[in-house]
Amino acid sequence: MTQSTATIPVTPELIDHIANLSRLALSDDEKAKMLDELPRILGMVAQLSELDTSSITSDVGWVSGLPADASMPLRPDTEGQFGKRSILDSNPPKPEDGYFAVPQILEV
Amino acid sequence: MSAPATTVAPNRVVQQQASAWELAQAIQNGQTTSLELVEDAYERIATMDGTIGAFLSLTKEKAIETASQVDADAKAGKPLKLLAGVPIALKDNMNMTGTKTTCASKILKGYVSPYNATVVEKLVANGLPVVGKTNLDEFAMGSSNENSAYGLVKNPVDIERVPGGSSGGSAAAVAAGMVSLSLGSDTGGSIRQPASLCGLVGVKPTYGSVSRFGLVAFASSLDQIGPFARTVTDAAALYQVIAGHDERDATSRADATPTLDIAALAAGGEDLKGLRVGVLQELDGISGDSKKALQPETIEAFHKGLDTLKALGATLTTVSLPSTQYSVPIYYILATAEASSNLGRYDGVRYGHRADAANLHPMYRATRAEGFGPEVKRRILLGTFCLSAGYYDAFYGKAQQARRLMTREFAETFAKVDVLVCPTSPCTAFKFGEKSSDPLAMYLSDIATIPANIAGVPAISVPCGVDALGLPIGLQITGPHLSEAQLFHVARAFEAATASRA
């Protein structure tokens, strides 16, 4: 089911839904701001629907700035050392015995 | 070696300095040493950067290590590599072992790079001392550097104005004369627009020609690393140093290694006879919409620039790429969609900031709420929306089709002309706060630069005059994939012609 770009109702529920998908806690002020800004930004990007792209029929899954005939050889799939271990160990906010400690995942 | 001081306006904070090419030769000839240049750079940073704010951290120990090696080699009479010994600044979204990498975000506060980006390896291998890491818009999202979590960067040409963005610190460090070279990254114009606003040469290389291994990802199908310099020769030499295939970047091209003749570029004196220049109609300053979109003085300087190209022997034709009128919408769908995915990694688990919470999901949400600034949040939300069920086809799918269409228009255009020209930025440097409250106004700053990222083609911004306030205006020259040699040739001829006229 595809929504037309011109008729998207930007509701508080939509903002909550996107914020949840984004794993972002928004304050009430931020939500109010997004309610004001998102319709304007979507209005700008929705101008794209005016552009006739009917001549593009091939699969457009992932498109990059590389021409189709560019050669991008892959490296051999071998094991290797990544980065400086002492720094890697010092970066996590809660290191524990060489692991990353995380808060509880399941509610018990 | 340095140019005579010009009349200094009250808001101007610029020191004249020799070009990187001249400095490298002076080191090789024993007229100076790399260590001396590094010390000079730190002296200028100490004097000027309190006002400008270009640097987020300095990497003195590493710079001295690299410089000492170059000086030892020079003393031993060894031939030095290209640009060896010339101090350089690095945008703080590139990793360098043992240094802080913040991306100007609170979420990466305290993060230390455990490895070197490929470009850093190349700089060090060539003997360029990295003096420090420069300020940027948070995660390279912005066009004014006002989105940094660690303070504003001021435009050295007029410190009441923005340097452009997102590579504002890299641009300001070179424009002020603290260093003669820096690296930035360009996803929608983040090298070329600040180069234009600060009166520099800035290059967005061909997609796949410079490795992004170690560059913090924003929008992976668009991001490229590229040089800032005060001369075309310096920019070309730095491109020669950093370009080339890298097996650690899956989008790196096998045929990316350039073979530029830097000495010939430096000598100059060439004309542009036989060059076919296409003038992009959508931004020519004549047609109705483009007349409204561009500052009148920008149009005037651009048209003078066209006269210069003609006087050099180029033939001019107007060409139209209709899809470029939709660059901004295409970009703000694709770039935000990719960013929403790329920035998923900042979850408070492996590095950076973590908020206190009893459970995992509230920890994620609070960490990201506390760590990201407003523009980054805005783009994550927009990108997530564009990829969400029910909206994906109308937004992301449509933008991908439009991208294909624009790429095809570029290919068809480059069958008819060798290069394409337009103004780099619709306006000159604006004042702090002038656009920061309206995201849509800010997004239009990249209207002329985005198409090259979408099509993956290279583009260079070169100074082409000033407005009534003395603020720089840039000319953008775009070419087909891997046409950097030609772009540097055209830009160098243009630079020489405009310098002799001034």
Side-chain angles (χ1 to χ4, degrees), chain B residues 268-277 304-316 462 475 477 488-501:
Chain B
E270 291 184 52
D271 60 38
L272 299 176
K273 284 201 179 79
L275 183 81
R276 299 170 301 168
V277 174
K304 267 190 195 158
L306 295 180
D307 292 341
T308 304
L309 291 169
K310 231 186 281 176
L312 284 162
T315 51
L316 270 54
V462 61
L475 171 78
I477 312 166
F488 289 126
H489 165 67
V490 177
R492 175 73 183 102
F494 183 82
E495 172 188 66
T498 45
S500 64
R501 200 185 48 199

mmCIF file of all heavy atoms in Angstrom, chain B residues 268-277 304-316 462 475 477 488-501:
data_model
loop_
_atom_site.group_PDB
_atom_site.id
_atom_site.type_symbol
_atom_site.label_atom_id
_atom_site.label_comp_id
_atom_site.label_asym_id
_atom_site.label_seq_id
_atom_site.Cartn_x
_atom_site.Cartn_y
_atom_site.Cartn_z
ATOM 1 N N GLY B 268 51.641 26.301 -15.572
ATOM 2 C CA GLY B 268 50.493 27.007 -16.166
ATOM 3 C C GLY B 268 50.734 27.437 -17.593
ATOM 4 O O GLY B 268 51.497 26.806 -18.332
ATOM 5 N N GLY B 269 50.094 28.529 -17.973
ATOM 6 C CA GLY B 269 50.311 29.091 -19.296
ATOM 7 C C GLY B 269 49.545 28.425 -20.422
ATOM 8 O O GLY B 269 49.762 28.722 -21.589
ATOM 9 N N GLU B 270 48.658 27.490 -20.069
ATOM 10 C CA GLU B 270 47.932 26.805 -21.140
ATOM 11 C C GLU B 270 46.586 27.478 -21.404
ATOM 12 O O GLU B 270 45.997 28.087 -20.534
ATOM 13 C CB GLU B 270 47.734 25.340 -20.774
ATOM 14 C CG GLU B 270 49.048 24.587 -20.785
ATOM 15 C CD GLU B 270 48.849 23.107 -20.524
ATOM 16 O OE1 GLU B 270 48.025 22.511 -21.217
ATOM 17 O OE2 GLU B 270 49.511 22.590 -19.622
ATOM 18 N N ASP B 271 46.114 27.330 -22.648
ATOM 19 C CA ASP B 271 44.797 27.884 -22.968
ATOM 20 C C ASP B 271 43.767 26.751 -22.990
ATOM 21 O O ASP B 271 44.072 25.620 -22.619
ATOM 22 C CB ASP B 271 44.830 28.650 -24.288
ATOM 23 C CG ASP B 271 45.238 27.749 -25.455
ATOM 24 O OD1 ASP B 271 44.825 26.572 -25.474
ATOM 25 O OD2 ASP B 271 45.976 28.223 -26.337
ATOM 26 N N LEU B 272 42.569 27.075 -23.385
ATOM 27 C CA LEU B 272 41.492 26.085 -23.395
ATOM 28 C C LEU B 272 40.927 25.908 -24.802
ATOM 29 O O LEU B 272 39.732 25.632 -24.965
ATOM 30 C CB LEU B 272 40.395 26.498 -22.405
ATOM 31 C CG LEU B 272 40.817 26.606 -20.939
ATOM 32 C CD1 LEU B 272 39.671 27.123 -20.078
ATOM 33 C CD2 LEU B 272 41.284 25.245 -20.403
ATOM 34 N N LYS B 273 41.779 26.084 -25.818
ATOM 35 C CA LYS B 273 41.311 25.955 -27.214
ATOM 36 C C LYS B 273 40.747 24.556 -27.444
ATOM 37 O O LYS B 273 41.362 23.561 -27.092
ATOM 38 C CB LYS B 273 42.468 26.212 -28.176
ATOM 39 C CG LYS B 273 42.798 27.684 -28.287
ATOM 40 C CD LYS B 273 43.565 28.031 -29.572
ATOM 41 C CE LYS B 273 43.850 29.514 -29.624
ATOM 42 N NZ LYS B 273 45.009 29.885 -28.770
ATOM 43 N N GLY B 274 39.569 24.521 -28.027
ATOM 44 C CA GLY B 274 38.946 23.241 -28.350
ATOM 45 C C GLY B 274 38.079 22.684 -27.232
ATOM 46 O O GLY B 274 37.356 21.714 -27.436
ATOM 47 N N LEU B 275 38.145 23.296 -26.051
ATOM 48 C CA LEU B 275 37.340 22.786 -24.929
ATOM 49 C C LEU B 275 35.865 23.160 -25.130
ATOM 50 O O LEU B 275 35.533 24.308 -25.399
ATOM 51 C CB LEU B 275 37.842 23.376 -23.606
ATOM 52 C CG LEU B 275 37.123 22.847 -22.363
ATOM 53 C CD1 LEU B 275 37.687 21.499 -21.938
ATOM 54 C CD2 LEU B 275 37.221 23.840 -21.203
ATOM 55 N N ARG B 276 35.002 22.152 -24.981
ATOM 56 C CA ARG B 276 33.563 22.393 -25.106
ATOM 57 C C ARG B 276 32.959 22.548 -23.704
ATOM 58 O O ARG B 276 32.934 21.600 -22.931
ATOM 59 C CB ARG B 276 32.885 21.228 -25.837
ATOM 60 C CG ARG B 276 33.405 20.996 -27.265
ATOM 61 C CD ARG B 276 32.873 19.689 -27.819
ATOM 62 N NE ARG B 276 33.267 18.565 -26.973
ATOM 63 C CZ ARG B 276 32.755 17.320 -27.082
ATOM 64 N NH1 ARG B 276 31.830 17.061 -27.991
ATOM 65 N NH2 ARG B 276 33.164 16.353 -26.284
ATOM 66 N N VAL B 277 32.540 23.759 -23.410
ATOM 67 C CA VAL B 277 31.978 24.054 -22.081
ATOM 68 C C VAL B 277 30.461 24.137 -22.168
ATOM 69 O O VAL B 277 29.923 24.885 -22.986
ATOM 70 C CB VAL B 277 32.542 25.387 -21.522
ATOM 71 C CG1 VAL B 277 31.845 25.762 -20.214
ATOM 72 C CG2 VAL B 277 34.042 25.290 -21.313
ATOM 73 N N LYS B 304 30.971 36.872 -15.957
ATOM 74 C CA LYS B 304 32.345 37.323 -16.230
ATOM 75 C C LYS B 304 33.261 36.113 -16.383
ATOM 76 O O LYS B 304 34.166 36.092 -17.222
ATOM 77 C CB LYS B 304 32.859 38.211 -15.091
ATOM 78 C CG LYS B 304 32.632 39.684 -15.335
ATOM 79 C CD LYS B 304 33.395 40.492 -14.288
ATOM 80 C CE LYS B 304 32.893 41.938 -14.262
ATOM 81 N NZ LYS B 304 33.185 42.597 -13.003
ATOM 82 N N GLY B 305 33.035 35.113 -15.537
ATOM 83 C CA GLY B 305 33.798 33.865 -15.603
ATOM 84 C C GLY B 305 33.623 33.187 -16.947
ATOM 85 O O GLY B 305 34.584 32.659 -17.528
ATOM 86 N N LEU B 306 32.393 33.209 -17.464
ATOM 87 C CA LEU B 306 32.135 32.618 -18.786
ATOM 88 C C LEU B 306 32.935 33.355 -19.862
ATOM 89 O O LEU B 306 33.486 32.732 -20.781
ATOM 90 C CB LEU B 306 30.638 32.658 -19.111
ATOM 91 C CG LEU B 306 29.717 31.821 -18.225
ATOM 92 C CD1 LEU B 306 28.264 31.963 -18.683
ATOM 93 C CD2 LEU B 306 30.118 30.349 -18.222
ATOM 94 N N ASP B 307 32.998 34.691 -19.743
ATOM 95 C CA ASP B 307 33.798 35.480 -20.695
ATOM 96 C C ASP B 307 35.272 35.069 -20.639
ATOM 97 O O ASP B 307 35.943 34.998 -21.665
ATOM 98 C CB ASP B 307 33.671 36.984 -20.392
ATOM 99 C CG ASP B 307 32.275 37.508 -20.689
ATOM 100 O OD1 ASP B 307 31.540 36.834 -21.454
ATOM 101 O OD2 ASP B 307 31.905 38.578 -20.152
ATOM 102 N N THR B 308 35.758 34.821 -19.415
ATOM 103 C CA THR B 308 37.157 34.393 -19.254
ATOM 104 C C THR B 308 37.392 33.067 -19.966
ATOM 105 O O THR B 308 38.388 32.889 -20.674
ATOM 106 C CB THR B 308 37.495 34.250 -17.753
ATOM 107 O OG1 THR B 308 37.214 35.481 -17.108
ATOM 108 C CG2 THR B 308 38.948 33.855 -17.534
ATOM 109 N N LEU B 309 36.465 32.117 -19.784
ATOM 110 C CA LEU B 309 36.604 30.809 -20.443
ATOM 111 C C LEU B 309 36.618 30.980 -21.966
ATOM 112 O O LEU B 309 37.400 30.340 -22.671
ATOM 113 C CB LEU B 309 35.463 29.872 -20.023
ATOM 114 C CG LEU B 309 35.491 29.402 -18.560
ATOM 115 C CD1 LEU B 309 34.183 28.699 -18.187
ATOM 116 C CD2 LEU B 309 36.674 28.462 -18.303
ATOM 117 N N LYS B 310 35.757 31.876 -22.441
ATOM 118 C CA LYS B 310 35.681 32.141 -23.888
ATOM 119 C C LYS B 310 37.000 32.746 -24.378
ATOM 120 O O LYS B 310 37.550 32.335 -25.398
ATOM 121 C CB LYS B 310 34.530 33.118 -24.184
ATOM 122 C CG LYS B 310 33.591 32.633 -25.284
ATOM 123 C CD LYS B 310 32.557 33.684 -25.651
ATOM 124 C CE LYS B 310 31.416 33.749 -24.658
ATOM 125 N NZ LYS B 310 30.453 34.813 -24.914
ATOM 126 N N ALA B 311 37.521 33.700 -23.597
ATOM 127 C CA ALA B 311 38.778 34.359 -23.976
ATOM 128 C C ALA B 311 39.942 33.363 -24.002
ATOM 129 O O ALA B 311 40.915 33.537 -24.738
ATOM 130 C CB ALA B 311 39.085 35.485 -22.992
ATOM 131 N N LEU B 312 39.822 32.292 -23.208
ATOM 132 C CA LEU B 312 40.870 31.269 -23.186
ATOM 133 C C LEU B 312 40.733 30.291 -24.358
ATOM 134 O O LEU B 312 41.557 29.388 -24.514
ATOM 135 C CB LEU B 312 40.816 30.490 -21.865
ATOM 136 C CG LEU B 312 41.383 31.212 -20.630
ATOM 137 C CD1 LEU B 312 40.882 30.561 -19.342
ATOM 138 C CD2 LEU B 312 42.904 31.220 -20.664
ATOM 139 N N GLY B 313 39.679 30.446 -25.149
ATOM 140 C CA GLY B 313 39.534 29.624 -26.352
ATOM 141 C C GLY B 313 38.446 28.576 -26.275
ATOM 142 O O GLY B 313 38.231 27.812 -27.222
ATOM 143 N N ALA B 314 37.735 28.494 -25.139
ATOM 144 C CA ALA B 314 36.677 27.491 -25.012
ATOM 145 C C ALA B 314 35.445 27.908 -25.805
ATOM 146 O O ALA B 314 35.205 29.099 -26.001
ATOM 147 C CB ALA B 314 36.309 27.315 -23.540
ATOM 148 N N THR B 315 34.678 26.915 -26.267
ATOM 149 C CA THR B 315 33.400 27.228 -26.898
ATOM 150 C C THR B 315 32.287 26.922 -25.899
ATOM 151 O O THR B 315 32.300 25.901 -25.226
ATOM 152 C CB THR B 315 33.157 26.373 -28.159
ATOM 153 O OG1 THR B 315 33.361 24.996 -27.819
ATOM 154 C CG2 THR B 315 34.090 26.753 -29.282
ATOM 155 N N LEU B 316 31.348 27.856 -25.796
ATOM 156 C CA LEU B 316 30.276 27.737 -24.802
ATOM 157 C C LEU B 316 28.951 27.369 -25.452
ATOM 158 O O LEU B 316 28.583 27.967 -26.468
ATOM 159 C CB LEU B 316 30.119 29.068 -24.064
ATOM 160 C CG LEU B 316 30.957 29.286 -22.791
ATOM 161 C CD1 LEU B 316 32.430 29.061 -23.027
ATOM 162 C CD2 LEU B 316 30.713 30.665 -22.220
ATOM 163 N N VAL B 462 36.277 26.866 -7.891
ATOM 164 C CA VAL B 462 37.454 27.724 -8.004
ATOM 165 C C VAL B 462 36.984 29.182 -7.881
ATOM 166 O O VAL B 462 35.893 29.520 -8.342
ATOM 167 C CB VAL B 462 38.185 27.410 -9.347
ATOM 168 C CG1 VAL B 462 37.305 27.666 -10.542
ATOM 169 C CG2 VAL B 462 39.500 28.124 -9.479
ATOM 170 N N LEU B 475 33.184 29.435 -8.868
ATOM 171 C CA LEU B 475 32.720 28.823 -10.116
ATOM 172 C C LEU B 475 32.874 27.318 -9.975
ATOM 173 O O LEU B 475 33.937 26.839 -9.578
ATOM 174 C CB LEU B 475 33.585 29.306 -11.291
ATOM 175 C CG LEU B 475 33.366 28.606 -12.639
ATOM 176 C CD1 LEU B 475 32.112 29.123 -13.326
ATOM 177 C CD2 LEU B 475 34.571 28.789 -13.560
ATOM 178 N N ILE B 477 33.088 23.668 -11.747
ATOM 179 C CA ILE B 477 33.332 22.974 -13.012
ATOM 180 C C ILE B 477 33.138 21.488 -12.752
ATOM 181 O O ILE B 477 33.751 20.925 -11.846
ATOM 182 C CB ILE B 477 34.762 23.240 -13.529
ATOM 183 C CG1 ILE B 477 35.093 24.743 -13.482
ATOM 184 C CG2 ILE B 477 34.943 22.690 -14.935
ATOM 185 C CD1 ILE B 477 36.574 25.060 -13.662
ATOM 186 N N PHE B 488 41.268 19.825 -13.393
ATOM 187 C CA PHE B 488 42.379 20.623 -12.852
ATOM 188 C C PHE B 488 42.984 21.507 -13.948
ATOM 189 O O PHE B 488 43.339 22.660 -13.694
ATOM 190 C CB PHE B 488 43.449 19.708 -12.235
ATOM 191 C CG PHE B 488 43.013 19.061 -10.939
ATOM 192 C CD1 PHE B 488 43.077 17.686 -10.762
ATOM 193 C CD2 PHE B 488 42.540 19.838 -9.886
ATOM 194 C CE1 PHE B 488 42.671 17.094 -9.567
ATOM 195 C CE2 PHE B 488 42.132 19.256 -8.681
ATOM 196 C CZ PHE B 488 42.199 17.878 -8.532
ATOM 197 N N HIS B 489 43.071 20.968 -15.156
ATOM 198 C CA HIS B 489 43.615 21.746 -16.276
ATOM 199 C C HIS B 489 42.748 22.989 -16.550
ATOM 200 O O HIS B 489 43.253 24.110 -16.666
ATOM 201 C CB HIS B 489 43.687 20.834 -17.513
ATOM 202 C CG HIS B 489 43.888 21.546 -18.804
ATOM 203 N ND1 HIS B 489 45.059 22.225 -19.101
ATOM 204 C CD2 HIS B 489 43.071 21.704 -19.863
ATOM 205 C CE1 HIS B 489 44.939 22.760 -20.299
ATOM 206 N NE2 HIS B 489 43.750 22.469 -20.783
ATOM 207 N N VAL B 490 41.440 22.777 -16.603
ATOM 208 C CA VAL B 490 40.523 23.894 -16.879
ATOM 209 C C VAL B 490 40.565 24.904 -15.726
ATOM 210 O O VAL B 490 40.667 26.118 -15.945
ATOM 211 C CB VAL B 490 39.072 23.383 -17.087
ATOM 212 C CG1 VAL B 490 38.108 24.544 -17.302
ATOM 213 C CG2 VAL B 490 39.006 22.405 -18.255
ATOM 214 N N ALA B 491 40.522 24.378 -14.493
ATOM 215 C CA ALA B 491 40.511 25.264 -13.323
ATOM 216 C C ALA B 491 41.815 26.059 -13.233
ATOM 217 O O ALA B 491 41.811 27.237 -12.863
ATOM 218 C CB ALA B 491 40.298 24.445 -12.047
ATOM 219 N N ARG B 492 42.916 25.421 -13.575
ATOM 220 C CA ARG B 492 44.225 26.101 -13.508
ATOM 221 C C ARG B 492 44.290 27.235 -14.528
ATOM 222 O O ARG B 492 44.776 28.336 -14.221
ATOM 223 C CB ARG B 492 45.340 25.080 -13.748
ATOM 224 C CG ARG B 492 46.742 25.669 -13.822
ATOM 225 C CD ARG B 492 47.242 26.114 -12.442
ATOM 226 N NE ARG B 492 48.552 26.744 -12.528
ATOM 227 C CZ ARG B 492 48.762 28.056 -12.478
ATOM 228 N NH1 ARG B 492 47.752 28.899 -12.310
ATOM 229 N NH2 ARG B 492 49.978 28.541 -12.567
ATOM 230 N N ALA B 493 43.817 26.960 -15.747
ATOM 231 C CA ALA B 493 43.821 28.004 -16.784
ATOM 232 C C ALA B 493 42.929 29.165 -16.358
ATOM 233 O O ALA B 493 43.280 30.342 -16.527
ATOM 234 C CB ALA B 493 43.353 27.414 -18.113
ATOM 235 N N PHE B 494 41.774 28.823 -15.770
ATOM 236 C CA PHE B 494 40.838 29.849 -15.300
ATOM 237 C C PHE B 494 41.465 30.674 -14.186
ATOM 238 O O PHE B 494 41.403 31.908 -14.189
ATOM 239 C CB PHE B 494 39.548 29.176 -14.821
ATOM 240 C CG PHE B 494 38.494 30.157 -14.389
ATOM 241 C CD1 PHE B 494 37.684 30.778 -15.328
ATOM 242 C CD2 PHE B 494 38.315 30.472 -13.046
ATOM 243 C CE1 PHE B 494 36.718 31.694 -14.940
ATOM 244 C CE2 PHE B 494 37.358 31.399 -12.650
ATOM 245 C CZ PHE B 494 36.556 32.003 -13.601
ATOM 246 N N GLU B 495 42.103 29.982 -13.247
ATOM 247 C CA GLU B 495 42.765 30.646 -12.113
ATOM 248 C C GLU B 495 43.843 31.618 -12.607
ATOM 249 O O GLU B 495 43.928 32.763 -12.155
ATOM 250 C CB GLU B 495 43.395 29.567 -11.226
ATOM 251 C CG GLU B 495 44.285 30.042 -10.097
ATOM 252 C CD GLU B 495 44.993 28.850 -9.440
ATOM 253 O OE1 GLU B 495 45.838 28.189 -10.103
ATOM 254 O OE2 GLU B 495 44.701 28.565 -8.272
ATOM 255 N N ALA B 496 44.661 31.149 -13.554
ATOM 256 C CA ALA B 496 45.747 31.996 -14.069
ATOM 257 C C ALA B 496 45.180 33.222 -14.774
ATOM 258 O O ALA B 496 45.683 34.344 -14.598
ATOM 259 C CB ALA B 496 46.629 31.189 -15.010
ATOM 260 N N ALA B 497 44.115 33.017 -15.551
ATOM 261 C CA ALA B 497 43.518 34.129 -16.301
ATOM 262 C C ALA B 497 42.887 35.152 -15.370
ATOM 263 O O ALA B 497 43.003 36.359 -15.585
ATOM 264 C CB ALA B 497 42.484 33.601 -17.291
ATOM 265 N N THR B 498 42.211 34.672 -14.312
ATOM 266 C CA THR B 498 41.548 35.619 -13.400
ATOM 267 C C THR B 498 42.576 36.336 -12.526
ATOM 268 O O THR B 498 42.403 37.502 -12.193
ATOM 269 C CB THR B 498 40.495 34.927 -12.506
ATOM 270 O OG1 THR B 498 41.045 33.714 -11.996
ATOM 271 C CG2 THR B 498 39.245 34.597 -13.271
ATOM 272 N N ALA B 499 43.670 35.633 -12.164
ATOM 273 C CA ALA B 499 44.706 36.274 -11.343
ATOM 274 C C ALA B 499 45.394 37.389 -12.120
ATOM 275 O O ALA B 499 45.689 38.450 -11.571
ATOM 276 C CB ALA B 499 45.728 35.233 -10.887
ATOM 277 N N SER B 500 45.642 37.165 -13.417
ATOM 278 C CA SER B 500 46.347 38.176 -14.197
ATOM 279 C C SER B 500 45.455 39.377 -14.479
ATOM 280 O O SER B 500 45.927 40.488 -14.680
ATOM 281 C CB SER B 500 46.857 37.573 -15.510
ATOM 282 O OG SER B 500 45.773 37.158 -16.311
ATOM 283 N N ARG B 501 44.118 39.136 -14.481
ATOM 284 C CA ARG B 501 43.187 40.234 -14.733
ATOM 285 C C ARG B 501 43.019 41.098 -13.478
ATOM 286 O O ARG B 501 42.814 42.300 -13.568
ATOM 287 C CB ARG B 501 41.830 39.645 -15.152
ATOM 288 C CG ARG B 501 40.931 40.602 -15.896
ATOM 289 C CD ARG B 501 39.577 39.984 -16.160
ATOM 290 N NE ARG B 501 39.016 39.377 -14.965
ATOM 291 C CZ ARG B 501 38.043 38.468 -14.977
ATOM 292 N NH1 ARG B 501 37.564 38.036 -16.114
ATOM 293 N NH2 ARG B 501 37.557 37.992 -13.851
#
